[in-house]
Amino acid sequence: MSDSIKNKIEKISKALEEHNYNYYNLSNPTISDFEFDKLLDELIALEKDYPQYLLPDSPSQRVGGTITKEFKNVKHKYPMLSLGNTYNEEELRDFDERIKKAGISEFEYVCELKYDGVSISLTYTDGILTQAVTRGDGEKGDDITANVKTIGSIPLKLRGKHYPAEFEIRGEIFMPKTEFLRINDELRKQLIEEGYDEEEIFEKQLKNPRNATSGTLKQQDSKAVAERKLDCYLYSVLGENLPFASHYDSLVEAKKWGFKVSADMEKFSSVDGVIKYLSKWDKKRHDLNVETDGVVIKVNSYEQQKFLGFTAKSPRWAIAYKFKAARVSTILESISYQVGRTGAITPVANLKPVQLAGTTVKRASLHNADIIEKLDVRIGDTVFVEKGGEIIPKIISVDESKRDLFSDANKPTKYITHCPECNSELIRNEGEANHYCPNELGCPPQVKGKMEHFVSRRAMDIDSLGSETIAQLYDAGLIKTIADIYELKKDDLLKIDRMAEKSANNLLAGVEASKNVPFERVLFALGIRHIGETTAKKLAYFYKNIESLKNATLEQLLEVGDIGERTAQTIIDYFSDKRILEILIKLKKAGLQFELSDEQLTNTSEKLKDLSFVVSGVFSKFSRDEIKKTIEQNGGKNVGSISGKTNFVLAGENMGPEKLKKAEKLGVKIISEEEFIKMLS
Ligand code: IVH
């Protein structure tokens, strides 16, 4: 019996690894994601029931969930060296000469792209991945095996039989450009919903794929690594008595064992071939889904490599050629100043359109006044534009030789002193880089932005009032503050372009319905700086109504968990503004919820303090949303996915089988609706 279970586990594991290989290494999947997940679930269930058959190379390891509190620092068997750099053809020809002078006349070069990620050394013992270590200082690195096992293109078990019993293979783990953009895009949407402005979003986004890779690999929970689709190219095999005589052959073999080896590697019999390769890839690299910053040139034969040997830091048989960062020069035609929802001013360079790294660049960020001053960039200047991390173009410097000293236009740039939208005098707070327009309640983009936030889904949820309609109503003078939204009349609405009877009715119904939105969301909707959804909820439950929040002192506000000095001060400032108080009075008159409901008041407790829940499935007594709300009202936290840190899974009918298995695997307690109700009584 147990033999047949063992066989079954082996069979499913083998099939899964094969599908994995087809998907990640050959980009040629032969089953659907759904079928793959079903098979994986079956395996996880079997391994749970028969833990004696759970192997370290099981494909179930790829879903992650292992927590590494501290990565073990381990010594490399072979130190991880770096490469010498060259930056032009001449330096590369010098390298070629040095090899010839050392006494080698006939030899081949292998060229590979230099991938910009995090280098990794993988150890395979009897065909099984046993250890994955980062470069560290070259001598010792961090053991990040659990995290690396989640990377789909890295084999956990090798294919075929002809691999050495023990060897290391090194390569570069990277985040594909598309994955980098996907994550940033999602993050951006989330931050916008939470009410952050452009400058803050820019600060919080992933800076470039390499940083993102290194940050991901440092995660303690391998589940978090599995969620970000990292990839890996392998480029060097190390070990004793390897069954090949050259680097090129080693990679051809490694590919057969299941490793992902770049198809862009090429062999050349002279440096001239290498130079052609460089110029080809200088442009073509931008079409790849991986960041590259150069080419690595290696002498092919192992024997010749051995003969050439090493300097203290790097091999004499290999060198890197670094591409010049994609850079062009163009004319700075003008600088425009954008005003964000919070009043932050962002200067933007408008450039004469130019091609750069595969895209047309028309604009570049100038960030703030200090940067403009440091660059001494002036309208009409010829400027050099680079793509930092290949994603966001920026101005690097000015070509001063092209500056026409006698032209009138060529005067030092004076940063604006007044808001381009409302002409208020700008302010700049001590220690902050940005200028702000202080006219929160009168500056059109700020007011419109605040209104958009106010009506957004997680705030007042008036979805019949889109940004275009807001702009029309605002421009027509029908709404000047958020309070005016509740004064809108049907006749007024019908005066607006393209507004038919039906849309007007919808809009008014949406406005009416928003009067039932609970206090914590109203508080979030007000758009007080630094008050996101979570903080709004905390404040609402702590102070229970707007009156007591308004009367709270700085010291009292600081007593609310997670509220810092900056946020506390913003709240004080907000409620000391007379115009704001007027708006709040109007909103209150209109019937908005400015206190917790009786139900919310009677239902609050600290019974679930610090406990986290995943709620899944269908329940008989309450809806899922009601249960989630109850968790929060009692001090608990709702989380989206199960991890080692989750305290309870609250399971209803029809809960997904993967979730159930995952909870069991991680030892997270699963409770029913009845047990949950008991916890509260
Ligand atoms: S070979 C002795 N090949 O570049 C060093 N390295 O300074 C042998 N890299 O940290 C390295 N792509 O992480 C080699 N195709 C490639 C590479 C590559 C990227 C990285 C590697 C190393 C650095 C070299």
Side-chain angles (χ1 to χ4, degrees), residues 458 520-521 533-534 537-538 541 600 603-611 613 615 624-639 676 680:
R458 304 171 96 112
E520 70 267 25
R521 270 170 55 196
E533 255 180 314
T534 324
K537 204 174 268 174
K538 260 192 202 139
Y541 278 94
Q600 284 177 317
N603 285 346
T604 55
S605 86
E606 301 257 288
K607 282 193 180 118
L608 307 179
K609 193 169 186 281
D610 297 331
L611 297 177
F613 291 79
V615 183
R624 198 158 54 209
D625 280 343
E626 280 169 336
I627 292 192
K628 285 188 169 177
K629 210 162 117 193
T630 309
I631 291 175
E632 268 160 20
Q633 286 169 351
N634 290 284
K637 205 167 89 183
N638 287 298
V639 290
F676 175 69
L680 293 170

Side-chain angles (χ1 to χ4, degrees), residues 34-75:
F34 177 74
E35 287 168 304
F36 184 91
D37 288 345
K38 233 170 60 186
L39 214 51
L40 185 60
D41 283 342
E42 197 181 336
L43 176 67
I44 294 173
L46 283 169
E47 287 175 345
K48 155 113 210 312
D49 292 339
Y50 302 91
Q52 68 270 36
Y53 300 135
L54 170 63
L55 298 174
D57 60 326
S58 166
S60 62
Q61 302 295 296
R62 296 208 185 274
V63 295
T66 311
I67 312 284
T68 317
K69 282 253 150 30
E70 206 172 318
F71 299 112
K72 217 168 58 192
N73 202 241
V74 294
K75 193 167 163 25

Side-chain angles (χ1 to χ4, degrees), residues 158-428:
L158 300 184
R159 303 164 70 81
K161 293 194 183 65
H162 303 294
Y163 43 78
E166 166 122 9
F167 70 96
E168 275 185 40
I169 187 161
R170 291 178 178 173
E172 200 83 356
I173 298 179
F174 62 92
M175 182 177 283
K177 290 180 191 171
T178 44
E179 179 69 359
F180 172 78
L181 294 174
R182 181 191 68 80
I183 296 172
N184 263 352
D185 213 45
E186 268 181 20
L187 190 63
R188 183 185 168 75
K189 281 192 198 130
Q190 185 194 329
L191 293 173
I192 289 177
E193 284 223 352
E194 286 174 16
Y196 287 91
D197 71 18
E198 284 304 323
E199 196 71 16
E200 290 168 311
I201 292 173
F202 180 79
E203 282 302 313
K204 284 181 188 286
Q205 278 188 314
L206 301 174
K207 291 292 167 288
N208 59 52
R210 179 163 45 80
N211 279 354
T213 308
S214 127
T216 305
L217 289 172
K218 283 184 189 138
Q219 299 288 318
Q220 292 184 336
D221 182 354
S222 65
K223 172 79 193 347
V225 187
E227 274 165 12
R228 290 178 164 190
K229 304 291 172 210
L230 299 180
D231 202 343
C232 181
Y233 277 128
L234 283 309
Y235 49 63
S236 104
V237 184
L238 292 124
E240 268 113 69
N241 305 319
L242 295 175
F244 16 74
S246 72
H247 172 66
Y248 192 88
D249 290 349
S250 77
L251 293 188
V252 170
E253 283 302 302
K255 191 167 179 196
K256 293 184 197 154
W257 305 336
F259 291 107
K260 186 157 172 170
V261 171
S262 165
D264 305 319
M265 154 176 92
E266 274 187 65
K267 257 191 305 195
F268 298 101
S269 55
S270 79
V271 72
D272 295 321
V274 173
I275 284 160
K276 284 204 189 97
Y277 183 91
L278 301 180
S279 67
K280 172 169 95 180
W281 282 106
D282 192 12
K283 293 216 166 54
K284 217 175 141 192
R285 69 192 180 107
H286 299 299
D287 304 333
L288 299 172
N289 198 15
V290 48
E291 290 290 349
T292 51
D293 61 348
V295 168
V296 182
I297 301 121
K298 304 171 185 174
V299 170
N300 191 22
S301 140
Y302 278 169
E303 203 184 308
Q304 289 173 335
Q305 285 187 3
K306 207 166 151 201
F307 176 80
L308 290 164
F310 296 85
T311 68
K313 277 189 290 184
S314 51
R316 287 201 185 87
W317 45 264
I319 199 132
Y321 169 86
K322 297 280 250 204
F323 291 125
K324 288 176 193 66
R327 173 187 285 204
V328 282
S329 72
T330 186
I331 310 279
L332 172 65
E333 292 183 330
S334 63
I335 297 177
S336 37
Y337 297 85
Q338 292 175 346
V339 189
R341 180 165 78 76
T342 57
I345 308 289
T346 314
V348 177
N350 299 307
L351 306 166
K352 187 167 172 221
V354 64
Q355 282 298 117
L356 175 62
T359 51
T360 308
V361 176
K362 295 191 216 98
R363 290 146 67 84
S365 173
L366 281 167
H367 299 290
N368 55 50
D370 289 346
I371 301 224
I372 293 179
E373 197 184 316
K374 207 167 111 205
L375 288 169
D376 184 22
V377 60
R378 309 176 187 189
I379 313 271
D381 267 343
T382 299
V383 293
F384 292 107
V385 183
E386 256 186 25
K387 273 201 173 177
E390 318 280 333
I391 308 286
I392 308 147
K394 64 176 177 212
I395 294 179
I396 293 298
S397 60
V398 173
D399 186 350
E400 284 182 24
S401 68
K402 296 234 168 70
R403 193 175 272 168
D404 178 0
L405 288 175
F406 304 104
S407 154
D408 230 18
N410 231 324
K411 296 211 182 81
T413 301
K414 276 212 189 81
Y415 203 81
I416 50 167
T417 52
H418 289 75
C419 176
E421 298 278 349
C422 71
N423 213 27
S424 305
E425 192 171 348
L426 300 180
I427 51 163
R428 190 179 188 183

Side-chain angles (χ1 to χ4, degrees), residues 80-83 85 112-116 118-120 135 171-172 235-236 296 298 310 314-315 317 320:
M80 284 182 88
L81 301 172
S82 58
L83 291 173
N85 286 325
E112 291 152 27
L113 288 165
K114 188 168 184 297
Y115 302 104
D116 202 6
V118 171
S119 45
I120 193 78
R135 181 175 189 279
E172 200 83 356
Y235 49 63
S236 104
V296 182
K298 304 171 185 174
F310 296 85
S314 51
W317 45 264

Side-chain angles (χ1 to χ4, degrees), residues 69-128:
K69 282 253 150 30
E70 206 172 318
F71 299 112
K72 217 168 58 192
N73 202 241
V74 294
K75 193 167 163 25
H76 290 294
K77 188 164 173 193
Y78 311 96
M80 284 182 88
L81 301 172
S82 58
L83 291 173
N85 286 325
T86 56
Y87 296 91
N88 53 46
E89 184 179 328
E90 199 187 333
E91 288 174 7
L92 192 67
R93 288 191 184 276
D94 289 347
F95 167 74
D96 184 55
E97 282 305 318
R98 285 201 295 279
I99 292 180
K100 288 178 181 151
K101 272 198 192 125
I104 298 179
S105 51
E106 275 206 17
F107 59 96
E108 285 174 324
Y109 283 122
V110 178
C111 289
E112 291 152 27
L113 288 165
K114 188 168 184 297
Y115 302 104
D116 202 6
V118 171
S119 45
I120 193 78
S121 187
L122 310 172
T123 304
Y124 284 82
T125 314
D126 296 325
I128 289 169

